[in-house]
Amino acid sequence: SYAFRIFDTSVTVARMVTLSLSCVLLWAAALCMRLVSGRTHALAAGVLIISLPRYLELSHTVMIGLPAIAFAMLSLAAITLWHLRRRAIWLVVSGGILAISVFTKGFTAILVPIFCVGIIIDGYAHRGATDPPRSRWRAAWPTVALWLGAFLVVAGSLFILLVGPTGAEQ
């Protein structure tokens, strides 16, 4: 809607926004692949995604689910960066972007428990093998609380800004 306010209310503007988000989706997928497997695999993944049947045709077609998927992929890229670099900012970025994704289209909410479980398992696995299991599980909770907190703060802020108290019952 912001693009329509800035430019014009036309199909061309909608297609350009969708094409831009399709490029973001492709970039985030290649970034995840590069972080996990290297440049060669990232390039191969990008080529395979572009060569999918009808990808080029659908990448500029106005589709309501594409923005949510693009934001979810960005969230996955951020959480992958956290797994590799261990900087808390990537948890905050990931949680915030996934909240935007969920507000764009609710079907991406299925990723919230999946990401939380992944963060908990990672926190358990990165503790010392000599630590008792109870302390290993306990050590995982601050990271998942940070991610979930960022998700809830952004989701709550979006709710207040976009829906407001008068539209809450809808």
Side-chain angles (χ1 to χ4, degrees), residues 27-148:
W27 174 79
L31 176 63
C32 282
M33 186 60 74
R34 184 179 64 81
L35 291 170
V36 173
S37 298
R39 290 178 190 234
T40 306
H41 292 97
L43 181 63
V47 169
L48 285 173
I49 290 171
I50 290 173
S51 66
L52 286 170
R54 303 187 59 182
Y55 173 78
L56 292 176
E57 178 185 341
L58 293 175
S59 66
H60 67 276
T61 304
V62 180
M63 298 183 335
I64 197 164
L66 183 69
I69 296 169
F71 289 128
M73 194 68 213
L74 278 174
S75 177
L76 180 64
I79 209 164
T80 303
L81 280 166
W82 172 76
H83 280 290
L84 295 172
R85 307 236 168 95
R86 296 308 222 204
R87 295 191 57 211
I89 187 68
W90 293 117
L91 283 174
V92 174
V93 168
S94 174
I97 292 175
L98 192 62
I100 294 170
S101 174
V102 169
F103 253 81
T104 304
K105 191 81 173 149
F107 71 86
T108 57
I110 188 72
L111 296 175
V112 173
I114 293 170
F115 283 15
C116 286
V117 167
I119 293 168
I120 291 169
I121 290 171
D122 181 85
Y124 179 83
H126 272 85
R127 293 290 292 185
T130 58
D131 291 345
R134 182 177 221 138
S135 70
R136 291 172 77 179
W137 284 119
R138 235 179 286 145
W141 289 104
T143 53
V144 78
L146 178 62
W147 184 89
L148 201 54

